[in-house]
Amino acid sequence: MRIAVPNKGRLHEPALGLLERAGLHVQDGADRKLYADTVDPDVSVLFARAADIPEYVSDGAAALGITGLDQARESEVDLVDLLDLEFGTCRLVLASPEEGGVSAPEELSGGTVATEFPRITRRYFEGVGVSPDIVEVSGATELTPHVDIADAIVDITSTGTTLRMNRLSVVDDVLESSVRLFADPAVADDPKIDQIKTAFRSVLDADGKRYVMMNVPEGALEDVKDRIPGMGGPTVMDIAGEEKLAVHVVVDEREVFEVIPELKTAGASDILVTEIERLVP
Ligand SMILES: Nc1ncnc2c1ncn2[C@@H]1O[C@H](COP(=O)(O)OP(=O)(O)OP(=O)(O)O)[C@@H](O)[C@H]1O
Ligand SMILES: O=P(O)(O)OC[C@H]1O[C@H](OP(=O)(O)OP(=O)(O)O)[C@H](O)[C@@H]1O
Ligand SMILES: [Mg+2]
């Protein structure tokens, strides 16, 4: 089974990191290679441009693909959106020069809009009910309104820095995007795909969680339990030959700082906090 993964750009490293944490380490994935094996003999990786990945998956060149929802929508191919991988989070917005006075998309009737996403943009304006000229560019879209190529743009924003630097302001939201695990509909119910999806989800579920282990005197167990926030009950184990119990619990990373003194007050000792690689329910 093949997974298409961005070969460069901002999605490359996080996608490889996720594969690795899911137990699918890419082997000798040297730069500029098209294919690489993973530690799982049944899973290999195809490196491709983020924009081409939807095509590859729908053509069957790869059963799975990791790329942005924006790319999948722009390609207009039929894919199964299996899992939100929670990175590459951004918005596609309609934006125009701050001083230009465009305050609604309808005002672009008869105007020109530049974008790297012509299909999404056309569909968006169909929804609005006007049909400006759409000019396809392949980068530096933010520049086009200042050189009289366009009256507005549809482009990606996340922090808003690039729009601000180019004195553009958002007129409307077009699409919220993040990176997804996409599958070829023809093979989406293959058990191997479910296994890979579960491995990815276990990595996402472990993010921001810590595993806390401690020793607790038997009489203090209830008090300790009362002070442990969230998640299901702790795992409690007898320690042979001692009046103490070993207590293990998963705690939200943000709560660890406050929980530790609480646990100590309740009588817990030898508290150990570790990262969690994967969390499989
Ligand atoms: N500023 C951003 N913040 C978050 N996600 C982004 C941002 N810019 C792009 N993305 C997401 O990453 C995807 C790929 O963007 P990236 O810039 O890596 O590729 P690219 O510009 O197509 O690269 P290249 O042209 O070098 O192949 C986008 O389709 C979008 O889903
Ligand atoms: O809101 P911001 O945080 O400023 O991010 C938005 C910018 O990020 C992307 O460009 P990228 O950095 O990928 O450069 P590129 O145009 O070469 O793809 C996107 O095309 C915007 O220009
Ligand atoms: Mg980019």
Side-chain angles (χ1 to χ4, degrees):
M1 172 153 305
R2 206 172 287 146
I3 308 181
V5 173
N7 62 346
K8 55 179 184 158
R10 68 179 66 233
L11 304 183
H12 176 71
E13 285 297 331
L16 285 186
L18 187 62
L19 280 167
E20 187 163 323
R21 291 180 64 202
L24 289 168
H25 304 63
V26 174
Q27 296 179 319
D28 60 64
D31 276 358
R32 317 223 164 265
K33 265 189 83 169
L34 286 180
Y35 291 102
D37 292 328
T38 71
V39 291
D40 183 332
D42 296 331
V43 180
S44 63
V45 168
L46 161 67
F47 290 111
R49 286 197 56 202
D52 294 333
I53 288 177
E55 278 304 330
Y56 284 141
V57 176
S58 88
D59 290 349
L64 292 167
I66 295 177
T67 193
L69 178 65
D70 52 347
Q71 301 295 355
R73 286 283 167 80
E74 181 60 21
S75 74
E76 293 185 342
V77 297
D78 183 24
L79 298 177
V80 183
D81 182 348
L82 284 179
L83 185 64
D84 188 338
L85 299 177
E86 299 173 8
F87 64 95
T89 305
C90 57
R91 293 188 298 152
L92 264 183
V93 296
L94 174 66
S96 70
E98 285 164 2
E99 68 280 12
V102 175
S103 58
E106 292 81 0
E107 294 166 26
L108 288 158
S109 173
T112 305
V113 178
T115 185
E116 288 181 56
F117 299 89
R119 288 163 159 178
I120 292 176
T121 302
R122 193 161 294 117
R123 285 199 169 191
Y124 165 78
F125 279 106
E126 276 167 19
V128 170
V130 296
S131 45
D133 278 340
I134 294 168
V135 174
E136 183 174 0
V137 293
S138 59
T141 315
E142 290 93 345
L143 206 69
T144 58
H146 299 297
V147 291
D148 292 335
I149 287 178
D151 303 301
I153 62 170
V154 168
D155 200 17
I156 289 169
T157 181
S158 61
T159 62
T161 311
T162 312
L163 288 180
R164 253 192 319 276
M165 265 171 33
N166 289 283
R167 303 187 318 279
L168 299 168
S169 57
V170 174
V171 176
D172 197 10
D173 282 312
V174 174
L175 176 73
E176 305 238 344
S177 182
S178 59
V179 172
R180 311 287 167 91
L181 178 65
F182 292 104
D184 174 359
V187 295
D189 50 8
D190 187 312
K192 188 73 191 177
I193 288 189
D194 202 50
Q195 189 191 334
I196 293 171
K197 173 181 156 185
T198 302
F200 281 160
R201 179 178 286 142
S202 70
V203 171
L204 302 173
D205 287 347
D207 264 343
K209 300 283 195 304
R210 292 291 181 270
Y211 197 65
V212 181
M213 294 171 264
M214 69 204 99
N215 290 335
V216 175
E218 278 169 3
L221 181 63
E222 285 314 309
D223 194 10
V224 164
K225 276 187 178 172
D226 286 347
R227 293 171 195 256
I228 293 173
M231 301 285 292
T235 305
V236 180
M237 288 155 285
D238 279 322
I239 303 177
E242 291 199 39
E243 313 264 282
K244 277 191 240 165
L245 302 165
V247 176
H248 294 190
V249 68
V250 175
V251 174
D252 202 290
E253 179 187 15
R254 292 162 299 187
E255 291 176 319
V256 169
F257 184 74
E258 283 177 24
V259 165
I260 302 273
E262 288 276 324
L263 296 174
K264 288 199 77 83
T265 306
S269 62
D270 305 313
I271 302 171
L272 197 66
V273 182
T274 69
E275 295 204 346
I276 302 174
E277 197 163 343
R278 272 178 262 166
L279 195 66
V280 187

